[in-house]
């Protein structure tokens, strides 16, 4: 199924964030850009490297008016225990959503039902709640926080400048392209 342009469904989940348990709903994510970052499990191997890399870029995401929501099938209590047990996870300031019933993972179609874990999905959602970009990796394939940020910035640029597109490896401040028949075969 293609998710690009689809609006996310209503949801309500618990989360762990910076020492507290909070509730997160669809209403909370509207009005700003959101990164839903699914990963298989707390207390695992590749996952802490990814979550730490996102934390290292968290200020850049916030400056881009985006919030990060990491999601696993663990409870908020497991997220808390992991943050207390791991110095790297303990530094995380963004929301760690709890999805033990798999509702979000099913909504985004990333749940491996047999394993009871989510594949490594990244969904970039615009302020209207519509998915603008997504990737899904198998369990053992880690992702780049820098590339997620770059993709977010490209999605924001295209939304703001609807008549322009971003070429490969585009970064803010670089030249974009205004599609035209005159460019066909010349790029």
């Amino acid at each position: 199924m293609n998710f690009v342009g689809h609006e996310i469904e209503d949801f309500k989940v618990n989360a762990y964030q910076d020492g507290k348990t909070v509730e997160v709903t669809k209403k909370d994510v509207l009005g700003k850009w959101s990164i839903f970052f699914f990963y298989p499990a707390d207390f695992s191997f590749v996952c802490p490297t990814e979550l730490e890399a996102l934390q290292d870029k968290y200020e850049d995401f916030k400056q881009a008016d985006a919030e990060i929501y990491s999601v696993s099938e663990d409870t908020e209590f497991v997220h808390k225990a992991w943050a207390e047990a791991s110095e790297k996870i303990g530094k995380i300031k963004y929301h760690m959503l709890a999805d033990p019933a798999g509702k979000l993972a099913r909504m985004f179609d990333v749940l491996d039902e047999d394993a009871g874990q989510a594949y490594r999905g990244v969904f970039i959602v615009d302020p209207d709640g519509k998915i603008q970009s997504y990737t899904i990796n198998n369990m053992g394939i880690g992702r780049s926080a820098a590339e997620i940020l770059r993709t977010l910035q490209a999605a924001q640029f295209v939304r703001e400048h609807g008549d322009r597109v971003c070429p490969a490896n585009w970064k803010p401040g670089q030249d974009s392209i205004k599609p035209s028949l005159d460019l066909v075969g010349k790029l």
Side-chain angles (χ1 to χ4, degrees):
M1 176 177 173
N2 180 5
F3 286 103
V4 172
H6 287 259
E7 186 173 341
I8 61 172
E9 299 170 18
D10 284 332
F11 70 89
K12 178 171 69 170
V13 296
N14 290 329
Y16 177 77
Q17 184 188 27
D18 201 20
K20 296 179 257 180
T21 300
V22 296
E23 187 177 86
V24 177
T25 66
K26 177 182 176 180
K27 183 179 176 185
D28 295 322
V29 305
L30 296 177
K32 62 183 170 295
W33 289 83
S34 301
I35 310 298
F36 287 87
F37 188 86
F38 289 87
Y39 64 97
D42 291 2
F43 293 99
S44 59
F45 313 103
V46 176
C47 302
T49 66
E50 293 183 311
L51 297 181
E52 180 183 27
L54 280 174
Q55 180 57 45
D56 289 346
K57 293 252 180 233
Y58 187 44
E59 286 303 316
D60 295 329
F61 281 96
K62 287 174 65 175
Q63 287 178 8
D65 193 33
E67 185 57 58
I68 296 171
Y69 300 94
S70 66
V71 189
S72 77
E73 303 317 292
D74 300 289
T75 67
E76 65 274 25
F77 308 114
V78 176
H79 293 332
K80 178 183 186 298
W82 194 23
E84 291 172 352
S86 168
E87 182 179 323
K88 292 177 181 182
I89 301 304
K91 293 178 187 176
I92 291 174
K93 301 297 182 193
Y94 53 81
H95 295 85
M96 297 178 75
L97 303 186
D99 190 33
K103 291 179 182 177
L104 286 176
R106 283 186 187 91
M107 181 172 83
F108 286 94
D109 199 20
V110 294
L111 184 63
D112 179 335
E113 295 280 353
D114 292 335
Q117 296 178 326
Y119 290 104
R120 295 184 191 282
V122 176
F123 295 81
I124 298 175
V125 179
D126 71 19
D128 300 320
K130 293 184 179 176
I131 297 169
Q132 295 302 316
S133 174
Y134 69 97
T135 59
I136 301 171
N137 293 358
N138 209 341
M139 305 282 187
I141 304 169
R143 297 153 291 178
S144 165
E147 177 56 17
I148 296 166
L149 178 62
R150 189 203 69 80
T151 304
L152 165 70
Q153 292 165 330
Q156 291 173 325
F157 181 89
V158 169
R159 180 180 167 108
E160 185 178 335
H161 305 90
D163 66 335
R164 306 206 59 90
V165 295
C166 299
N169 301 314
W170 177 91
K171 291 183 180 173
Q174 293 180 339
D175 290 338
S176 60
I177 298 169
K178 185 170 185 173
S180 163
L181 282 176
D182 296 338
L183 295 177
V184 174
K186 296 181 181 170
L187 295 178

